[in-house]
Amino acid sequence: MSEAVAAIIPHNADEDWKLPSRGIVGMACLILAEASIFIIFVVAYIFYLGKSITGPTPHEVLTLPILTSICLLSSSATVHFAVSALHAGKQSMCSLWLALTVLLGGIFLAGTAQEWYHLIYHDGLTIRTNLFGTTFYSLVGLHASHVIVGLFMLALALVFSLRGDLTSRHTERLEVLSLYWHFVDAVWVIVFLVVYVLGR
Amino acid sequence: MATQSPVTAVLDKTQASQPPRLFLATLHEWVTTVDHKKIGLMYIGYALFFLVVAGFEAILMRIQLAIPNNTFVSPQAFNRLFTMHGTTMVFFVGMPILFGFGNYLVPLMIGARDMAFPRLNAFSFWVSAFGGSLLYFSYLGGDGLYGAGSAPDVGWFAYAPLTARVFSPGHSTDYWTLAVLLSGIGNIGTALNIVATTICMRCPGMKLNRMPLLVWLYLVTSMMVFVAVSPLTAAQIMLLLDRYLGSHFFDTQAGGSAVLWMHFFWIFGHPEVYILVLPAFAFANEIIPVFSRKAIFGYPAMVAASVGIGFISLSVWAHHMFTVGMGAGANTFFTLSTMVIAVPTGIKIFNWLATLWGGKIRYTVAMMFSVGFLFQFLIAGLTGIMLSASPFDWQLGNSYFVVAHFHYVLVGAILFMIFAAFYYWYPKMTGHMLDEKLGKWHFWLFLIGFHLTFDFMHIPGILGMPRRIYTYEADRGWMLLNMITSSGAFFQAIATLLFVYNMVWSYFKGPIAGADPWDAWTLEWSTVSPPPAYNFATIPTVESRRPLWDLKHPEDPDTRYE
Ligand code: HEM
Ligand SMILES: [Cu+2]
């Protein structure tokens, strides 16, 4: 019988049995699901381009958010540096990069808020105004809500890091968070192209 | 059959100890559990509850349609009945029952102690369960209980502009949207968990090409959930924005498009039917080989076909929209892509037949349901091919022929395999066998009822009876056919109640199952029934696709052939 048992009870403990980490796989799945949601909103945006019955049109009211976009995209790099710093055990560097990431993301968010303020109070464009308003606020708003969630989590990580609770043992968790942040940035590239470049 | 096989007794010496518990303590334990098996069972329990509820709604509809000019329910109540029936069956019976089995079986089959994210798992369950409760809560609102509350009445597809504020005042549509949205969030969470579990938690030696086919199919299904359920979630967010913030996505008065909703809905809706049917295939892949005493024929082809079905099914959604007027180019594309699905599906059917071929077949109830599944799925596929030819669909779209077709799949294939799965895994889940004699009654009554209902339902469709009408004139020649269809529904209802009775009775009185009552081959049968909280006393190592076969037949292990 002993020979038979070997079939399912470890006889030579498989040392080289390595599987991917749960966090990364889980985040990849979440990103896939979220990407599908964004695609539907982008499709709706493109489908309704130029179909508004009344004004204002995108061309009349939208300006290219160049500066804030640069801020958001460079925050992808800073969060990457934060992960590398943590990996190398340089905690204070990690805090610094995290702080920079939060700052850059914050600037982006403030830019969006200002843009919306302007659109609502100067140009009279709300989500009810026309199809452009409908699709614009929902797509950009969906992205902004993801930025807010990401910033919240990054800020939490920053607090932990400042208190010294974030050590190189947590590299993988920070990496999972940074994956999410890269995704939010990648979505912005699409939104930027569709809404501000193609849509105008 | 019910004795503990001496071989598997070696596998796991875990003692399942069950000291008596107080009711409140037990309740607390279930509500707070993060154990994948308990969550799986809760999913299954709540799905069975809704199966009975939605079945009851079906019976009410069939009473109404049994004779012409019937006034058993009002037109309004009838609209609510078919909406609630469809929504419940898809979101609160099909999805939870399949995810329930997945939750229960996937970790056991890959030799893991739990899911990758146990707390997310509990969260997903409670969110979905809350969605189901919310849907039925709507019956309490509005103007009373009996069929006339403010339950949703826009169909399970909720076509625009029926859902616009003007056509659907009050909150019935919001109940529908929120209930389905919540169930979608739960499903995405569970799917994420299943993928992470299969990829990251396999026991040593369980390479991807050694995983049981069931696990493979759950992997494909879960991937489909990400790309199919999320679009529905997106569309529902848009619908809520339309209803609450006054946006115009589906508002035709402001230039919005009702057809866009149809696209978004069916981008979800068509893959959804494959999300439901792939787990049914998964059950067949485990049950048919064990009761034929042969390894599954063509394992790699089965995997490839499932992945192929997953991909192709994402490109066929608009065959639900042939009658909308999409133009010849789109119609041709969707006709062809729909027909291509028949290829991987055919591969599967042939592989099941090849597995049966020359096997020592044991006709247990689980096997009988599986054989019924094979025939009925074939017929359903054939009527599907007919419908996918767009000129044919112009004639029969929105007729009872379509209803008959999709019930052939949903009941004849999916529900049959769900029943089979119960007869097969109930012993593992409870430690008791289901009664085979009652099971045979269940099978035959259900089979007769099914064919009475759905074979005959094709004909009024061809004769021109449209879907979703609440009554009809006596001079159309549909009378007898509808009577037969309705009587079949009663057979199915009685059979289902018999099944529920069997489950309750067997839980207390059924013979003890032992670890491995079917002499099967996958890992879940190597631990005691029901498995302890930690599943396995020692994490197993596997060297082939059928670890228990290797164990029981050391002279002829599968490893030799790899
Ligand atoms: C595999 C499981 C399947 C399920 C669960 C399923 C289910 C359904 C459902 C629920 C509908 C009705 C949708 C509605 O409410 O209008 C439907 C319609 C349709 N099905 Fe299937 N189906 C399956 C397989 C197939 C296959 C294999 C084909 C073709 C090869 C097919 C072709 C069609 C077509 C063309 C329609 C549209 C008919 C119409 O609305 O006019 N289906 N199916
Ligand atoms: Cu379809």
PDB file of all heavy atoms in Angstrom, chain B residues 156 266 273-274 277 319-320 338 377 381 384-385 387-388 393 397-398 402 405-406 409-410 414 467, ligand 1:
ATOM      1  N   TRP B 156     -36.807  40.581 -18.575  1.00  0.00           N
ATOM      2  CA  TRP B 156     -35.478  40.399 -17.957  1.00  0.00           C
ATOM      3  C   TRP B 156     -34.416  41.127 -18.758  1.00  0.00           C
ATOM      4  O   TRP B 156     -33.311  41.338 -18.287  1.00  0.00           O
ATOM      5  CB  TRP B 156     -35.127  38.912 -17.822  1.00  0.00           C
ATOM      6  CG  TRP B 156     -34.556  38.255 -19.033  1.00  0.00           C
ATOM      7  CD1 TRP B 156     -35.232  37.896 -20.145  1.00  0.00           C
ATOM      8  CD2 TRP B 156     -33.181  37.875 -19.247  1.00  0.00           C
ATOM      9  NE1 TRP B 156     -34.390  37.326 -21.050  1.00  0.00           N
ATOM     10  CE2 TRP B 156     -33.118  37.291 -20.518  1.00  0.00           C
ATOM     11  CE3 TRP B 156     -32.014  37.961 -18.486  1.00  0.00           C
ATOM     12  CZ2 TRP B 156     -31.926  36.806 -21.067  1.00  0.00           C
ATOM     13  CZ3 TRP B 156     -30.842  37.478 -19.032  1.00  0.00           C
ATOM     14  CH2 TRP B 156     -30.798  36.906 -20.308  1.00  0.00           C
ATOM     15  N   TRP B 266     -27.158  42.579 -24.786  1.00  0.00           N
ATOM     16  CA  TRP B 266     -26.850  41.262 -25.348  1.00  0.00           C
ATOM     17  C   TRP B 266     -25.350  40.969 -25.384  1.00  0.00           C
ATOM     18  O   TRP B 266     -24.947  39.812 -25.448  1.00  0.00           O
ATOM     19  CB  TRP B 266     -27.496  41.097 -26.727  1.00  0.00           C
ATOM     20  CG  TRP B 266     -28.977  40.913 -26.583  1.00  0.00           C
ATOM     21  CD1 TRP B 266     -29.946  41.761 -27.008  1.00  0.00           C
ATOM     22  CD2 TRP B 266     -29.655  39.835 -25.931  1.00  0.00           C
ATOM     23  NE1 TRP B 266     -31.191  41.279 -26.663  1.00  0.00           N
ATOM     24  CE2 TRP B 266     -31.030  40.095 -26.006  1.00  0.00           C
ATOM     25  CE3 TRP B 266     -29.227  38.660 -25.297  1.00  0.00           C
ATOM     26  CZ2 TRP B 266     -31.997  39.230 -25.458  1.00  0.00           C
ATOM     27  CZ3 TRP B 266     -30.183  37.814 -24.754  1.00  0.00           C
ATOM     28  CH2 TRP B 266     -31.553  38.107 -24.844  1.00  0.00           C
ATOM     29  N   VAL B 273     -25.393  33.055 -21.411  1.00  0.00           N
ATOM     30  CA  VAL B 273     -25.923  31.698 -21.543  1.00  0.00           C
ATOM     31  C   VAL B 273     -24.779  30.688 -21.580  1.00  0.00           C
ATOM     32  O   VAL B 273     -24.929  29.559 -21.126  1.00  0.00           O
ATOM     33  CB  VAL B 273     -26.845  31.539 -22.778  1.00  0.00           C
ATOM     34  CG1 VAL B 273     -27.980  32.521 -22.711  1.00  0.00           C
ATOM     35  CG2 VAL B 273     -26.088  31.656 -24.075  1.00  0.00           C
ATOM     36  N   TYR B 274     -23.613  31.113 -22.063  1.00  0.00           N
ATOM     37  CA  TYR B 274     -22.471  30.191 -22.024  1.00  0.00           C
ATOM     38  C   TYR B 274     -21.862  30.142 -20.636  1.00  0.00           C
ATOM     39  O   TYR B 274     -21.327  29.112 -20.229  1.00  0.00           O
ATOM     40  CB  TYR B 274     -21.448  30.571 -23.091  1.00  0.00           C
ATOM     41  CG  TYR B 274     -21.974  30.201 -24.443  1.00  0.00           C
ATOM     42  CD1 TYR B 274     -22.712  31.089 -25.192  1.00  0.00           C
ATOM     43  CD2 TYR B 274     -21.804  28.912 -24.927  1.00  0.00           C
ATOM     44  CE1 TYR B 274     -23.276  30.733 -26.398  1.00  0.00           C
ATOM     45  CE2 TYR B 274     -22.357  28.541 -26.129  1.00  0.00           C
ATOM     46  CZ  TYR B 274     -23.088  29.454 -26.861  1.00  0.00           C
ATOM     47  OH  TYR B 274     -23.647  29.081 -28.029  1.00  0.00           O
ATOM     48  N   VAL B 277     -23.938  27.567 -19.246  1.00  0.00           N
ATOM     49  CA  VAL B 277     -23.890  26.209 -19.791  1.00  0.00           C
ATOM     50  C   VAL B 277     -22.511  25.572 -19.593  1.00  0.00           C
ATOM     51  O   VAL B 277     -22.395  24.361 -19.484  1.00  0.00           O
ATOM     52  CB  VAL B 277     -24.326  26.187 -21.276  1.00  0.00           C
ATOM     53  CG1 VAL B 277     -23.176  26.496 -22.204  1.00  0.00           C
ATOM     54  CG2 VAL B 277     -24.936  24.846 -21.632  1.00  0.00           C
ATOM     55  N   HIS B 319     -27.143  38.215 -32.709  1.00  0.00           N
ATOM     56  CA  HIS B 319     -28.175  37.335 -33.271  1.00  0.00           C
ATOM     57  C   HIS B 319     -29.483  37.459 -32.481  1.00  0.00           C
ATOM     58  O   HIS B 319     -30.489  36.893 -32.865  1.00  0.00           O
ATOM     59  CB  HIS B 319     -27.704  35.878 -33.370  1.00  0.00           C
ATOM     60  CG  HIS B 319     -27.389  35.221 -32.067  1.00  0.00           C
ATOM     61  ND1 HIS B 319     -26.385  34.305 -31.938  1.00  0.00           N
ATOM     62  CD2 HIS B 319     -27.927  35.341 -30.838  1.00  0.00           C
ATOM     63  CE1 HIS B 319     -26.332  33.890 -30.690  1.00  0.00           C
ATOM     64  NE2 HIS B 319     -27.253  34.497 -29.995  1.00  0.00           N
ATOM     65  N   HIS B 320     -29.440  38.192 -31.376  1.00  0.00           N
ATOM     66  CA  HIS B 320     -30.684  38.482 -30.660  1.00  0.00           C
ATOM     67  C   HIS B 320     -31.358  39.723 -31.223  1.00  0.00           C
ATOM     68  O   HIS B 320     -32.390  40.133 -30.720  1.00  0.00           O
ATOM     69  CB  HIS B 320     -30.399  38.685 -29.173  1.00  0.00           C
ATOM     70  CG  HIS B 320     -29.845  37.460 -28.531  1.00  0.00           C
ATOM     71  ND1 HIS B 320     -30.626  36.493 -27.955  1.00  0.00           N
ATOM     72  CD2 HIS B 320     -28.576  37.008 -28.417  1.00  0.00           C
ATOM     73  CE1 HIS B 320     -29.875  35.518 -27.491  1.00  0.00           C
ATOM     74  NE2 HIS B 320     -28.615  35.806 -27.764  1.00  0.00           N
ATOM     75  N   THR B 338     -22.335  32.959 -35.247  1.00  0.00           N
ATOM     76  CA  THR B 338     -23.141  32.077 -34.402  1.00  0.00           C
ATOM     77  C   THR B 338     -22.992  30.633 -34.840  1.00  0.00           C
ATOM     78  O   THR B 338     -22.870  29.723 -34.019  1.00  0.00           O
ATOM     79  CB  THR B 338     -24.620  32.493 -34.476  1.00  0.00           C
ATOM     80  OG1 THR B 338     -24.734  33.860 -34.128  1.00  0.00           O
ATOM     81  CG2 THR B 338     -25.458  31.677 -33.521  1.00  0.00           C
ATOM     82  N   PHE B 377     -29.397  18.663 -25.267  1.00  0.00           N
ATOM     83  CA  PHE B 377     -28.502  19.735 -25.673  1.00  0.00           C
ATOM     84  C   PHE B 377     -28.291  19.705 -27.180  1.00  0.00           C
ATOM     85  O   PHE B 377     -28.214  20.738 -27.839  1.00  0.00           O
ATOM     86  CB  PHE B 377     -27.160  19.632 -24.948  1.00  0.00           C
ATOM     87  CG  PHE B 377     -26.240  20.752 -25.298  1.00  0.00           C
ATOM     88  CD1 PHE B 377     -26.595  22.056 -24.996  1.00  0.00           C
ATOM     89  CD2 PHE B 377     -25.050  20.528 -25.965  1.00  0.00           C
ATOM     90  CE1 PHE B 377     -25.775  23.104 -25.345  1.00  0.00           C
ATOM     91  CE2 PHE B 377     -24.231  21.574 -26.318  1.00  0.00           C
ATOM     92  CZ  PHE B 377     -24.592  22.870 -26.016  1.00  0.00           C
ATOM     93  N   GLY B 381     -29.201  22.735 -29.655  1.00  0.00           N
ATOM     94  CA  GLY B 381     -28.202  23.298 -30.555  1.00  0.00           C
ATOM     95  C   GLY B 381     -28.736  23.360 -31.976  1.00  0.00           C
ATOM     96  O   GLY B 381     -28.491  24.328 -32.706  1.00  0.00           O
ATOM     97  N   GLY B 384     -31.023  26.127 -32.345  1.00  0.00           N
ATOM     98  CA  GLY B 384     -30.210  27.340 -32.291  1.00  0.00           C
ATOM     99  C   GLY B 384     -29.621  27.666 -33.651  1.00  0.00           C
ATOM    100  O   GLY B 384     -29.641  28.821 -34.095  1.00  0.00           O
ATOM    101  N   ILE B 385     -29.129  26.623 -34.340  1.00  0.00           N
ATOM    102  CA  ILE B 385     -28.590  26.837 -35.679  1.00  0.00           C
ATOM    103  C   ILE B 385     -29.677  27.366 -36.614  1.00  0.00           C
ATOM    104  O   ILE B 385     -29.454  28.258 -37.430  1.00  0.00           O
ATOM    105  CB  ILE B 385     -28.005  25.526 -36.239  1.00  0.00           C
ATOM    106  CG1 ILE B 385     -26.787  25.099 -35.417  1.00  0.00           C
ATOM    107  CG2 ILE B 385     -27.645  25.665 -37.704  1.00  0.00           C
ATOM    108  CD1 ILE B 385     -25.546  25.851 -35.732  1.00  0.00           C
ATOM    109  N   LEU B 387     -32.254  29.192 -35.756  1.00  0.00           N
ATOM    110  CA  LEU B 387     -32.520  30.594 -35.437  1.00  0.00           C
ATOM    111  C   LEU B 387     -31.392  31.509 -35.877  1.00  0.00           C
ATOM    112  O   LEU B 387     -31.605  32.693 -36.121  1.00  0.00           O
ATOM    113  CB  LEU B 387     -32.744  30.758 -33.936  1.00  0.00           C
ATOM    114  CG  LEU B 387     -34.081  30.265 -33.413  1.00  0.00           C
ATOM    115  CD1 LEU B 387     -34.085  30.304 -31.902  1.00  0.00           C
ATOM    116  CD2 LEU B 387     -35.202  31.126 -33.964  1.00  0.00           C
ATOM    117  N   SER B 388     -30.187  30.961 -35.967  1.00  0.00           N
ATOM    118  CA  SER B 388     -29.078  31.847 -36.287  1.00  0.00           C
ATOM    119  C   SER B 388     -29.053  32.226 -37.762  1.00  0.00           C
ATOM    120  O   SER B 388     -28.316  33.124 -38.155  1.00  0.00           O
ATOM    121  CB  SER B 388     -27.753  31.210 -35.877  1.00  0.00           C
ATOM    122  OG  SER B 388     -27.528  30.056 -36.645  1.00  0.00           O
ATOM    123  N   ASP B 393     -34.886  33.648 -38.728  1.00  0.00           N
ATOM    124  CA  ASP B 393     -35.180  34.373 -37.492  1.00  0.00           C
ATOM    125  C   ASP B 393     -36.206  35.481 -37.712  1.00  0.00           C
ATOM    126  O   ASP B 393     -36.998  35.788 -36.826  1.00  0.00           O
ATOM    127  CB  ASP B 393     -33.893  34.940 -36.908  1.00  0.00           C
ATOM    128  CG  ASP B 393     -34.103  35.503 -35.516  1.00  0.00           C
ATOM    129  OD1 ASP B 393     -34.205  34.690 -34.585  1.00  0.00           O
ATOM    130  OD2 ASP B 393     -34.190  36.730 -35.383  1.00  0.00           O
ATOM    131  N   GLY B 397     -38.457  34.964 -34.889  1.00  0.00           N
ATOM    132  CA  GLY B 397     -38.004  35.776 -33.766  1.00  0.00           C
ATOM    133  C   GLY B 397     -39.206  36.273 -32.978  1.00  0.00           C
ATOM    134  O   GLY B 397     -40.266  36.536 -33.553  1.00  0.00           O
ATOM    135  N   ASN B 398     -39.046  36.371 -31.685  1.00  0.00           N
ATOM    136  CA  ASN B 398     -40.135  36.821 -30.824  1.00  0.00           C
ATOM    137  C   ASN B 398     -41.384  35.963 -30.898  1.00  0.00           C
ATOM    138  O   ASN B 398     -42.475  36.427 -30.623  1.00  0.00           O
ATOM    139  CB  ASN B 398     -40.496  38.280 -31.106  1.00  0.00           C
ATOM    140  CG  ASN B 398     -39.530  39.206 -30.399  1.00  0.00           C
ATOM    141  OD1 ASN B 398     -38.992  38.847 -29.354  1.00  0.00           O
ATOM    142  ND2 ASN B 398     -39.292  40.354 -30.970  1.00  0.00           N
ATOM    143  N   VAL B 402     -38.748  30.585 -30.180  1.00  0.00           N
ATOM    144  CA  VAL B 402     -37.555  31.049 -29.469  1.00  0.00           C
ATOM    145  C   VAL B 402     -37.619  30.632 -28.002  1.00  0.00           C
ATOM    146  O   VAL B 402     -36.643  30.155 -27.420  1.00  0.00           O
ATOM    147  CB  VAL B 402     -37.410  32.573 -29.597  1.00  0.00           C
ATOM    148  CG1 VAL B 402     -36.258  33.074 -28.757  1.00  0.00           C
ATOM    149  CG2 VAL B 402     -37.213  32.958 -31.045  1.00  0.00           C
ATOM    150  N   HIS B 405     -36.786  27.090 -27.811  1.00  0.00           N
ATOM    151  CA  HIS B 405     -35.340  26.876 -28.004  1.00  0.00           C
ATOM    152  C   HIS B 405     -34.562  27.156 -26.730  1.00  0.00           C
ATOM    153  O   HIS B 405     -33.780  26.337 -26.276  1.00  0.00           O
ATOM    154  CB  HIS B 405     -34.811  27.763 -29.132  1.00  0.00           C
ATOM    155  CG  HIS B 405     -33.339  28.070 -29.006  1.00  0.00           C
ATOM    156  ND1 HIS B 405     -32.370  27.118 -29.209  1.00  0.00           N
ATOM    157  CD2 HIS B 405     -32.683  29.197 -28.654  1.00  0.00           C
ATOM    158  CE1 HIS B 405     -31.174  27.653 -28.995  1.00  0.00           C
ATOM    159  NE2 HIS B 405     -31.341  28.920 -28.651  1.00  0.00           N
ATOM    160  N   PHE B 406     -34.759  28.324 -26.151  1.00  0.00           N
ATOM    161  CA  PHE B 406     -33.856  28.608 -25.044  1.00  0.00           C
ATOM    162  C   PHE B 406     -34.212  27.856 -23.780  1.00  0.00           C
ATOM    163  O   PHE B 406     -33.335  27.589 -22.960  1.00  0.00           O
ATOM    164  CB  PHE B 406     -33.638  30.116 -24.833  1.00  0.00           C
ATOM    165  CG  PHE B 406     -34.773  30.929 -24.338  1.00  0.00           C
ATOM    166  CD1 PHE B 406     -35.181  30.857 -23.030  1.00  0.00           C
ATOM    167  CD2 PHE B 406     -35.382  31.850 -25.166  1.00  0.00           C
ATOM    168  CE1 PHE B 406     -36.211  31.664 -22.561  1.00  0.00           C
ATOM    169  CE2 PHE B 406     -36.407  32.654 -24.700  1.00  0.00           C
ATOM    170  CZ  PHE B 406     -36.826  32.557 -23.407  1.00  0.00           C
ATOM    171  N   VAL B 409     -32.312  24.672 -23.821  1.00  0.00           N
ATOM    172  CA  VAL B 409     -30.955  24.776 -23.274  1.00  0.00           C
ATOM    173  C   VAL B 409     -31.000  24.952 -21.765  1.00  0.00           C
ATOM    174  O   VAL B 409     -30.344  24.236 -21.013  1.00  0.00           O
ATOM    175  CB  VAL B 409     -30.203  25.955 -23.913  1.00  0.00           C
ATOM    176  CG1 VAL B 409     -28.784  25.983 -23.406  1.00  0.00           C
ATOM    177  CG2 VAL B 409     -30.232  25.853 -25.417  1.00  0.00           C
ATOM    178  N   LEU B 410     -31.799  25.937 -21.339  1.00  0.00           N
ATOM    179  CA  LEU B 410     -31.758  26.295 -19.919  1.00  0.00           C
ATOM    180  C   LEU B 410     -32.283  25.175 -19.037  1.00  0.00           C
ATOM    181  O   LEU B 410     -31.743  24.924 -17.965  1.00  0.00           O
ATOM    182  CB  LEU B 410     -32.563  27.577 -19.681  1.00  0.00           C
ATOM    183  CG  LEU B 410     -31.973  28.830 -20.333  1.00  0.00           C
ATOM    184  CD1 LEU B 410     -32.964  29.973 -20.303  1.00  0.00           C
ATOM    185  CD2 LEU B 410     -30.706  29.244 -19.610  1.00  0.00           C
ATOM    186  N   ILE B 414     -29.044  22.680 -18.965  1.00  0.00           N
ATOM    187  CA  ILE B 414     -28.421  23.201 -17.744  1.00  0.00           C
ATOM    188  C   ILE B 414     -29.079  22.632 -16.494  1.00  0.00           C
ATOM    189  O   ILE B 414     -28.408  22.090 -15.622  1.00  0.00           O
ATOM    190  CB  ILE B 414     -28.459  24.744 -17.756  1.00  0.00           C
ATOM    191  CG1 ILE B 414     -27.666  25.259 -18.957  1.00  0.00           C
ATOM    192  CG2 ILE B 414     -27.889  25.299 -16.471  1.00  0.00           C
ATOM    193  CD1 ILE B 414     -27.795  26.731 -19.200  1.00  0.00           C
ATOM    194  N   ARG B 467     -44.299  35.817 -28.386  1.00  0.00           N
ATOM    195  CA  ARG B 467     -43.873  35.771 -26.987  1.00  0.00           C
ATOM    196  C   ARG B 467     -44.596  36.844 -26.199  1.00  0.00           C
ATOM    197  O   ARG B 467     -45.055  37.837 -26.745  1.00  0.00           O
ATOM    198  CB  ARG B 467     -42.388  36.109 -26.876  1.00  0.00           C
ATOM    199  CG  ARG B 467     -41.462  35.102 -27.339  1.00  0.00           C
ATOM    200  CD  ARG B 467     -40.079  35.703 -27.406  1.00  0.00           C
ATOM    201  NE  ARG B 467     -39.419  35.680 -26.098  1.00  0.00           N
ATOM    202  CZ  ARG B 467     -38.152  36.054 -25.928  1.00  0.00           C
ATOM    203  NH1 ARG B 467     -37.450  36.482 -26.951  1.00  0.00           N
ATOM    204  NH2 ARG B 467     -37.605  35.994 -24.752  1.00  0.00           N
TER     205      ARG B 467
HETATM  206  C1  HEM C   1     -25.530  27.086 -24.882  1.00  0.00           C
HETATM  207  C2  HEM C   1     -26.554  27.534 -24.243  1.00  0.00           C
HETATM  208  C3  HEM C   1     -27.614  28.435 -24.827  1.00  0.00           C
HETATM  209  C4  HEM C   1     -28.491  29.113 -24.065  1.00  0.00           C
HETATM  210  C5  HEM C   1     -28.558  29.074 -22.539  1.00  0.00           C
HETATM  211  C6  HEM C   1     -29.322  29.879 -24.931  1.00  0.00           C
HETATM  212  C7  HEM C   1     -30.307  30.725 -24.487  1.00  0.00           C
HETATM  213  C8  HEM C   1     -31.005  31.573 -25.278  1.00  0.00           C
HETATM  214  C9  HEM C   1     -31.945  32.534 -24.807  1.00  0.00           C
HETATM  215  C10 HEM C   1     -32.255  32.808 -23.332  1.00  0.00           C
HETATM  216  C11 HEM C   1     -32.481  33.153 -25.872  1.00  0.00           C
HETATM  217  C12 HEM C   1     -33.617  34.134 -25.865  1.00  0.00           C
HETATM  218  C13 HEM C   1     -33.203  35.478 -25.669  1.00  0.00           C
HETATM  219  C14 HEM C   1     -34.381  36.384 -25.617  1.00  0.00           C
HETATM  220  O1  HEM C   1     -34.938  36.583 -24.525  1.00  0.00           O
HETATM  221  O2  HEM C   1     -34.759  36.906 -26.685  1.00  0.00           O
HETATM  222  C15 HEM C   1     -31.826  32.615 -27.026  1.00  0.00           C
HETATM  223  C16 HEM C   1     -32.042  33.011 -28.322  1.00  0.00           C
HETATM  224  C17 HEM C   1     -31.254  32.628 -29.386  1.00  0.00           C
HETATM  225  N1  HEM C   1     -30.307  31.620 -29.398  1.00  0.00           N
HETATM  226 FE1  HEM C   1     -29.696  30.578 -27.832  1.00  0.00          FE
HETATM  227  N2  HEM C   1     -28.958  29.646 -26.215  1.00  0.00           N
HETATM  228  C18 HEM C   1     -27.908  28.755 -26.192  1.00  0.00           C
HETATM  229  C19 HEM C   1     -27.282  28.213 -27.262  1.00  0.00           C
HETATM  230  C20 HEM C   1     -27.442  28.619 -28.554  1.00  0.00           C
HETATM  231  C21 HEM C   1     -26.758  28.077 -29.680  1.00  0.00           C
HETATM  232  C22 HEM C   1     -25.768  26.910 -29.619  1.00  0.00           C
HETATM  233  C23 HEM C   1     -27.162  28.792 -30.734  1.00  0.00           C
HETATM  234  C24 HEM C   1     -26.755  28.659 -32.193  1.00  0.00           C
HETATM  235  C25 HEM C   1     -25.791  27.903 -32.652  1.00  0.00           C
HETATM  236  C26 HEM C   1     -28.129  29.764 -30.290  1.00  0.00           C
HETATM  237  C27 HEM C   1     -28.785  30.681 -31.083  1.00  0.00           C
HETATM  238  C28 HEM C   1     -29.760  31.545 -30.646  1.00  0.00           C
HETATM  239  C29 HEM C   1     -30.384  32.539 -31.483  1.00  0.00           C
HETATM  240  C30 HEM C   1     -30.055  32.803 -32.927  1.00  0.00           C
HETATM  241  C31 HEM C   1     -31.314  33.218 -30.672  1.00  0.00           C
HETATM  242  C32 HEM C   1     -32.166  34.396 -31.076  1.00  0.00           C
HETATM  243  C33 HEM C   1     -33.524  34.062 -31.370  1.00  0.00           C
HETATM  244  C34 HEM C   1     -34.376  35.313 -31.373  1.00  0.00           C
HETATM  245  O3  HEM C   1     -34.386  36.038 -30.362  1.00  0.00           O
HETATM  246  O4  HEM C   1     -35.028  35.543 -32.383  1.00  0.00           O
HETATM  247  N3  HEM C   1     -28.295  29.626 -28.957  1.00  0.00           N
HETATM  248  N4  HEM C   1     -30.937  31.646 -26.639  1.00  0.00           N
END
